[in-house]
Amino acid sequence: MGHIVPALGALLGRFIYPSYGIMLIFARLFNLLFFICGMTWILKRSKNNFYTYFMIFAVPFMQKIASPSYDVFAFLTIAAFGTNFLYLSQFRRFSELSKKDYSYSIFTILLLFLTKRNYIFAMPALLGLPMIYGCLLNFFRRRSVQSKRIMLISSFLVIFFCLFIVHRFFNLKILLHVFFDNYFNVATMGGRGLTSFSVVQDNLPDLVNIFWIVCLCLLMLAEDSTTYELGTVLGGVIAYFLNWFGIFLGFYIGYPEHLPFDDLTGRYLHAFLVLLVPFMAWLGQKIKVKISEKSFSQIALSATISVLILYLLITVYRGFVLGVTPAWKN
């Protein structure tokens, strides 16, 4: 599905002049226009957190925006789903939603099934919506004491059975040990601890990545215009780490020796940063982080624009002056 847009561009380029260069240029232009139009629509529909969304969706993906990659479609998909998830988190009952809200929500969910397989891990975040977990809690509360006990015991048995099956296939002790050593053990994780949170492009200094992440975290902590319930916070965090662990599990299966591997980089994780907005906003309200509205916009715009300009300058310098691969480190 994600290849349709650049394929249409390549087809138009072929009609104009059947050369590889012309076809590639039109494939890139089609994806660029698709990204601009799609992201404009997504941000326009989003009611709050504009500058936070601007930072999340502008910088991490800048290398792919004008590429013929299917990642453009995938990134727009998670952007549409994530922003809509945060929008829906402000409603407590299904009756408060309009027909457009229902249609758009179903549309964003269906998109998840048409893109990268790991994006399906975003689905559990929906359980963190107040209107969904509220219905489940109300249903549980209306049951008799005996029914509640049966439901709790049944849930515990299902969880235990699932863990048992996973343990039979992967050995949970070894699986968790390899995951910890790859990403949280300072003595063994090496560069993986950095690349997992490397959001800006590879050809930029690591200090730029740290600068951008600090600015983004500051904005998310200071976001007090929207209040999120604890269930929404947990739903976003669980979906983020479920995606991380799910991708790790795929690489783990591909490395039967269970050696450390460097394949899981930040590009697999940064699209899900939008799901961490509720947690950071909730944490910021607890520790009372405050930033004026003017400073809020200045931080977002200056940090993002400076990174984009620096990326452009370094890319041009590497490509035309040094004559090496311009967009990433060799």
Side-chain angles (χ1 to χ4, degrees):
M1 183 68 179
H3 296 287
I4 292 179
V5 174
L8 291 175
L11 181 62
L12 178 60
R14 186 175 183 275
F15 282 128
I16 295 175
Y17 187 79
S19 72
Y20 176 79
I22 296 297
M23 292 168 63
L24 181 59
I25 288 175
F26 274 88
R28 290 177 178 274
L29 287 176
F30 265 54
N31 250 3
L32 175 62
L33 291 174
F34 179 64
F35 179 86
I36 292 174
C37 294
M39 192 58 68
T40 300
W41 180 48
I42 291 171
L43 293 178
K44 186 176 180 180
R45 191 182 185 281
S46 305
K47 306 300 182 182
N48 299 311
N49 307 308
F50 173 80
Y51 289 108
T52 303
Y53 295 157
F54 175 72
M55 286 197 70
I56 292 176
F57 299 138
V59 168
F61 203 64
M62 56 188 174
Q63 182 182 323
K64 294 284 188 178
I65 290 174
S67 75
S69 172
Y70 70 99
D71 284 335
V72 173
F73 177 83
F75 195 74
L76 285 174
T77 295
I78 197 64
F81 176 86
T83 54
N84 189 61
F85 163 71
L86 300 182
Y87 170 73
L88 295 178
S89 68
Q90 303 306 300
F91 298 94
R92 291 186 171 275
R93 290 181 292 274
F94 286 99
S95 59
E96 299 177 22
L97 301 179
S98 65
K99 292 182 179 179
K100 288 184 178 180
D101 293 331
Y102 275 110
S103 301
Y104 184 71
S105 299
I106 294 173
F107 173 68
T108 60
I109 292 172
L110 291 177
L111 284 178
L112 293 177
F113 293 92
L114 299 175
T115 183
K116 292 182 178 180
R117 285 178 291 179
N118 67 291
Y119 279 19
I120 202 69
F121 291 127
M123 289 285 289
L126 296 175
L127 295 176
L129 295 177
M131 67 182 76
I132 293 181
Y133 73 76
C135 290
L136 297 176
L137 289 176
N138 290 333
F139 175 80
F140 180 77
R141 289 165 182 163
R142 289 196 296 266
R143 302 303 97 187
S144 63
V145 175
Q146 185 176 3
S147 297
K148 290 179 180 179
R149 290 175 180 173
I150 294 175
M151 292 171 66
L152 289 174
I153 293 174
S154 300
S155 300
F156 175 78
L157 291 176
V158 169
I159 294 173
F160 179 79
F161 177 76
C162 292
L163 291 176
F164 175 76
I165 295 298
V166 173
H167 181 70
R168 287 290 302 271
F169 279 98
F170 301 110
N171 191 322
L172 280 175
K173 183 179 180 180
I174 297 177
L175 178 66
L176 295 175
H177 179 72
V178 174
F179 181 76
F180 180 82
D181 279 352
N182 268 271
Y183 305 108
F184 297 100
N185 189 336
V186 178
T188 58
M189 67 183 183
R192 288 178 296 277
L194 176 63
T195 56
S196 296
F197 297 97
S198 180
V199 182
V200 304
Q201 297 308 307
D202 289 344
N203 62 359
L204 295 178
D206 294 335
L207 185 60
V208 177
N209 186 67
I210 296 173
F211 164 74
W212 187 89
I213 290 179
V214 169
C215 291
L216 176 64
C217 289
L218 183 60
L219 292 191
M220 290 196 292
L221 286 171
E223 181 59 64
D224 58 358
S225 61
T226 306
T227 301
Y228 298 100
E229 299 290 338
L230 183 59
T232 304
V233 172
L234 294 176
V237 171
I238 290 173
Y240 180 86
F241 281 98
L242 186 62
N243 171 64
W244 188 353
F245 194 80
I247 298 173
F248 159 78
L249 186 60
F251 287 120
Y252 178 87
I253 295 173
Y255 289 81
E257 302 86 1
H258 307 322
L259 298 173
F261 43 85
D262 300 321
D263 303 70
L264 203 167
T265 56
R267 67 190 183 92
Y268 291 100
L269 307 177
H270 68 237
F272 278 67
L273 284 174
V274 65
L275 299 180
L276 296 182
V277 170
F279 169 72
M280 296 298 290
W282 174 82
L283 181 62
Q285 291 171 6
K286 293 296 181 182
I287 60 179
K288 302 186 185 305
V289 177
K290 298 290 183 180
I291 296 179
S292 66
E293 185 176 349
K294 182 179 180 180
S295 298
F296 205 93
S297 60
Q298 288 177 342
I299 291 174
L301 293 174
S302 60
T304 302
I305 293 174
S306 62
V307 171
L308 293 176
I309 292 176
L310 184 60
Y311 172 70
L312 179 62
L313 293 175
I314 290 181
T315 300
V316 172
Y317 178 75
R318 286 172 61 85
F320 291 97
V321 178
L322 299 182
V324 298
T325 304
W328 59 83
K329 293 178 181 177
N330 292 327

